[in-house]
């Protein structure tokens, strides 16, 4: 019996040469995703300073406007991700990457020209609306890579994206003192413009011939209606949201939690930074390796294992007695979580028709953004009203439930597809 994560449609193997350019496409998409994510996150260290430069003087107002400006990009990106995915299915993935990279380059340069805080928030919204390069790259790599290498390729892509999240704030802390805040945005725009040129001239998207069913006009369904079995898709949307929720749930409490573990108040911010970076570093190191493992043992098996291990690692995090223990545990959790994003994309890729893959992966991106927003809100509420340990234990329960649900969904999908894949 064929592994349930290979294909549910019994589609024939790709024609020779159909994936001739997949490695070059992967390299360009990694560079473009890395640069655009850096541009989206580099303003974290100096955003309050820029808000103050734009005329906001009250301390509380600076904090509120900074939060609004930072979250605006992710809010608008979550809203339009399914739309860009559907357009990618209809008109091609490469045109969407060209649009995203050029749009982001222009938006970043315009942010450097903002005259007031309203323009800053509006331009951050525009950046989210026009962007989506990283999610679009995942779609292109997922659909242009040989199926037996999809997990590894998406894992490598995930490493580039997470590296951008790690490097962005570091660049934002170093560059403004050297060149100024506005010039930092211009530099980011120029870097993304290079990614735009590489995308336009180096990526080669193979156009696939329409299927026999499509030629006969037998299936014109689009969107959700085109997915014959929606259970794997729903499970992956939930898992993507759960992944981001688990990553972000401790963000509001981490500094306060670390302060309870240290005797020296001056070491709190440094240790909190190490704790936050440890999980990202672990994910960067493990994503491609777990993706490669998933290509051999099945993507769904890796998802269930990663969720279960992460749930177990959350329990000792609630009872640590020193900062270094928390750093080590978050690093180990990052190692386990690193395999989830590429495997989620792979399961979606193998369980939905080719013509709606971009649209469905767009919904997956929106679900992940939802978790990115819900995580800090839920963690802050539980930490403030119940206790900080409850955040870790509550997230543990959610991760364990996610592992159980995915295990059941895998068994259901396997029993459904077994006759068709013998």
């Amino acid at each position: 019996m064929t592994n349930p994560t290979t294909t549910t449609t019994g589609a024939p193997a790709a024609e020779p040469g159909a994936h001739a350019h997949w490695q070059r496409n992967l390299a360009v998409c990694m560079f473009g995703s890395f640069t655009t994510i850096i541009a989206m996150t580099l303003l974290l260290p100096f955003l309050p300073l820029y808000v103050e430069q734009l005329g906001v003087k009250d301390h509380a107002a600076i904090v509120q406007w900074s939060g609004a400006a930072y979250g605006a990009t992710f809010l608008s990106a979550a809203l339009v991700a399914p739309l860009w995915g559907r357009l990618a299915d209809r008109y091609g993935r490469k045109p969407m990457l060209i649009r995203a990279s050029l749009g982001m380059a222009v938006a970043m340069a315009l942010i450097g020209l903002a005259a007031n805080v309203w323009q800053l928030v509006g331009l951050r919204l525009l950046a989210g609306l026009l962007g989506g390069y990283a999610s679009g790259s995942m779609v292109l790599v997922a659909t242009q890579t040989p199926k037996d290498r999809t997990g590894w390729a998406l894992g490598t892509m995930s490493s580039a994206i997470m590296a951008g999240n790690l490097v962005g704030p570091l660049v934002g802390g170093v560059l403004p003192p050297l060149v100024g805040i506005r010039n930092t945005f211009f530099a980011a725009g120029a870097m993304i413009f290079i990614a735009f040129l590489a995308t336009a001239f180096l990526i080669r998207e193979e156009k696939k011939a329409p299927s026999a069913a499509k030629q006969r006009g037998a299936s014109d369904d689009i969107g959700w209606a085109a997915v014959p079995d929606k259970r794997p898709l729903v499970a992956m949307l939930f898992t993507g949201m759960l992944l981001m929720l688990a990553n972000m749930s401790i963000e509001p409490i981490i500094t306060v939690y670390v302060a309870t573990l240290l005797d020296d108040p001056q070491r709190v911010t440094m240790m909190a930074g190490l704790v936050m970076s440890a999980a990202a570093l672990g994910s960067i190191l493990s994503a491609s390796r777990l993706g490669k493992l998933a290509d051999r043992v099945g993507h769904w098996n890796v998802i269930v294992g990663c969720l279960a291990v992460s749930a177990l690692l959350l329990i000792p995090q609630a009872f640590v007695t020193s900062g270094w223990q928390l750093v080590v545990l978050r690093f180990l959790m990052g190692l386990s979580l690193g395999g989830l994003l590429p495997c989620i994309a792979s399961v979606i890729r193998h369980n939905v028709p080719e013509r709606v893959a971009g649209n469905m992966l767009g919904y997956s991106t929106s679900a992940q953004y939802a978790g990115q927003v819900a995580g800090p809100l839920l963690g802050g509420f539980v930490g403030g009203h119940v206790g900080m340990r409850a955040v870790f234990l509550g997230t543990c329960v959610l991760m364990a439930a996610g592992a159980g649900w995915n295990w059941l969904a895998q068994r259901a999908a396997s029993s459904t597809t077994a006759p068709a894949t013998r």
Side-chain angles (χ1 to χ4, degrees), residues 129-381:
L129 291 171
L130 297 178
Y133 190 98
S135 57
S137 291
M138 294 289 279
V139 175
L140 185 138
V141 170
T143 55
Q144 296 288 304
T145 301
K147 285 191 174 183
D148 61 344
R149 303 297 301 277
T150 301
W152 174 83
L154 292 175
T156 306
M157 271 294 304
S158 296
S159 294
I161 292 171
M162 288 180 283
N165 279 304
L166 191 63
V167 173
L170 298 177
V171 173
V174 172
L175 208 54
L178 299 177
V179 302
I181 289 178
R182 293 185 183 273
N183 287 332
T184 297
F185 287 113
F186 298 151
M191 186 167 56
I192 298 175
F193 188 76
I194 295 173
F196 157 72
L197 294 176
T199 301
F201 294 108
L202 296 180
I203 285 183
R204 296 289 184 270
E205 181 179 6
E206 300 292 338
K207 302 295 183 182
K208 296 187 178 180
S211 64
K214 191 66 177 175
Q215 290 174 340
R216 295 193 304 267
S219 178
D220 294 318
D221 292 335
I222 60 173
W224 284 86
V227 182
D229 184 0
K230 298 176 176 59
R231 289 172 298 179
L233 177 59
V234 172
M236 292 305 101
L237 296 182
F238 172 75
T239 303
M241 182 177 66
L242 192 60
L243 165 63
M244 292 303 173
L245 189 149
N247 265 332
M248 302 299 294
S249 62
I250 73 159
E251 293 293 318
I253 67 164
I254 191 60
T255 302
V256 179
Y257 189 56
V258 168
T260 65
L261 305 174
L262 301 178
D263 296 327
D264 185 1
Q266 295 183 349
R267 295 177 54 220
V268 169
T269 55
M270 182 190 71
M271 184 60 69
L274 289 175
V275 171
M276 293 178 186
S277 301
L281 179 60
S283 295
I284 291 170
L285 295 176
S286 69
S288 62
R289 291 172 175 82
L290 287 174
K292 188 175 182 178
L293 174 66
D295 287 333
R296 295 202 310 268
V297 304
H299 303 97
W300 228 325
N301 292 327
V302 172
I303 288 174
V304 173
C306 287
L307 289 172
V309 171
S310 299
L312 291 175
L313 287 170
L314 279 161
I315 297 174
Q317 291 178 47
F319 301 101
V320 293
T321 56
S322 66
W324 69 264
Q325 293 175 352
L326 187 58
V327 171
V328 171
L329 288 169
R330 293 301 292 181
F331 175 75
L332 294 175
M333 187 169 172
L335 288 175
S336 65
L337 291 176
L340 287 180
L341 279 180
C343 289
I344 288 169
S346 295
V347 171
I348 293 175
R349 160 86 168 90
H350 297 317
N351 285 276
V352 303
E354 181 83 15
R355 66 184 183 278
V356 296
N359 192 10
M360 296 303 105
L361 287 168
Y363 281 115
S364 176
T365 300
S366 294
Q368 291 164 28
Y369 280 129
Q372 205 164 5
V373 173
L377 294 176
L378 186 61
F381 178 82

